[in-house]
Amino acid sequence: MAKDMTLLWGSGSPPCWRVMITLEEKKLQGYNHKLLSIEKGEHKSQEVLDMNPRGQLPSFKHGSFVLNESYGACMYLESQFKSQGNELIPRCAAEQAMMYQRMFEGLTLTQKMADFIYYNRKVPEGERRDSAVKRNKETLCAELKLWEGYLQKASGSYLAGKSFTLADVIVFPGIAYLFRFGLNEERYPKLTEYYNLLKDRPSIKTSWPPTWLDDPQAKDLLKDI
């Protein structure tokens, strides 16, 4: 089964990492994969464009089926291989509802994180404003306090309760990204606890971004968030 799968990916990309964690959880090791450098622009290569006309990673293919959106790829893999590996969608209605809620809220977390971290990269120098940086910082801070509160009130150690689910698959790479950029552990104890719990999970440890192994922390950009 895995031999019919191909993944083009970039190290440290949360969307790519989500798909890789899901493949590990579903015991689909042995898939074809190729690590590409986003910094070198390899995600705009013809090889990627043939699978993903947007020129983005991940680019994932199973047989003749192409799924380039990480949420879609993760949900597809769980659906098609439900009885294989670990079940990632809870059977309990309450936990399933919570899973989908937290899973799709992850989109908001990712956007607010990117708005702050990559402001200078996305906005031309002449158009940058201190007021925008301040606003993005305050917005991200409020978002992180929301997630800290979710974990404080959770009925278990995971985002949807006592079991590791697709919500964790989707959100954890973003949480890991935050700590890589220096998120203050003392200020966010529950997020820190969650990060430390999941970082040693086999599917996450095995798929840990290789570029992070030699450079554990990129910057302290988030130390004051």
Side-chain angles (χ1 to χ4, degrees):
M1 291 176 287
K3 292 180 180 179
D4 294 330
M5 299 178 182
T6 298
L7 177 67
L8 306 179
W9 60 289
S11 178
S13 159
C16 295
W17 199 1
R18 294 166 187 157
V19 179
M20 297 175 81
I21 293 171
T22 306
L23 286 162
E24 290 292 327
E25 290 286 336
K26 302 311 293 183
K27 306 300 180 186
L28 291 166
Q29 295 91 348
Y31 57 92
N32 303 297
H33 66 93
K34 186 173 183 179
L35 173 59
L36 299 174
S37 172
I38 296 174
E39 289 74 17
K40 295 178 181 178
E42 292 177 350
H43 57 301
K44 300 298 183 182
S45 67
Q46 192 59 49
E47 182 179 17
V48 175
L49 292 171
D50 286 343
M51 284 176 64
N52 188 346
R54 294 183 182 275
Q56 297 174 340
L57 300 176
S59 295
F60 177 71
K61 189 174 184 179
H62 179 209
S64 61
F65 306 134
V66 176
L67 296 102
N68 295 320
E69 292 297 326
S70 61
Y71 272 57
C74 294
M75 294 176 74
Y76 169 83
L77 289 168
E78 171 60 19
S79 174
Q80 294 301 307
F81 301 96
K82 189 173 181 63
S83 61
Q84 182 170 314
N86 295 316
E87 197 169 272
L88 298 175
I89 297 180
R91 299 187 183 188
C92 167
E95 289 186 359
Q96 189 176 127
M98 181 62 73
M99 182 210 75
Y100 281 119
Q101 178 62 34
R102 296 290 178 260
M103 180 176 164
F104 283 93
E105 276 188 279
L107 288 167
T108 303
L109 173 62
T110 300
Q111 185 60 57
K112 292 180 179 179
M113 179 176 72
D115 286 345
F116 180 72
I117 293 176
Y118 294 114
Y119 179 77
N120 286 346
R121 182 184 297 183
K122 292 182 176 182
V123 180
E125 186 174 358
E127 298 176 18
R128 295 172 193 164
R129 299 289 182 271
D130 290 342
S131 58
V133 173
K134 182 175 182 292
R135 182 173 61 252
N136 289 342
K137 181 177 180 179
E138 291 172 349
T139 299
L140 177 57
C141 183
E143 182 71 16
L144 292 175
K145 287 179 179 178
L146 196 63
W147 287 89
E148 180 75 9
Y150 288 160
L151 287 166
Q152 286 177 347
K153 298 173 184 176
S155 59
S157 300
Y158 302 98
L159 291 176
K162 298 178 181 178
S163 301
F164 181 87
T165 69
L166 276 181
D168 303 292
V169 170
I170 293 294
V171 175
F172 175 80
I175 300 298
Y177 209 78
L178 291 165
F179 281 101
R180 177 167 169 74
F181 276 83
L183 189 68
N184 190 312
E185 295 186 4
E186 294 182 0
R187 195 167 294 163
Y188 300 99
K190 295 304 292 186
L191 280 169
T192 300
E193 183 181 323
Y194 175 77
Y195 170 71
N196 288 330
L197 171 67
L198 266 66
K199 69 179 183 180
D200 289 325
R201 187 176 178 87
S203 64
I204 290 173
K205 195 171 184 178
T206 298
S207 58
W208 198 265
T211 52
W212 291 14
L213 296 174
D214 297 327
D215 184 17
Q217 183 170 318
K219 298 178 181 178
D220 58 0
L221 186 64
L222 302 180
K223 65 178 182 180
D224 296 324
I225 290 291

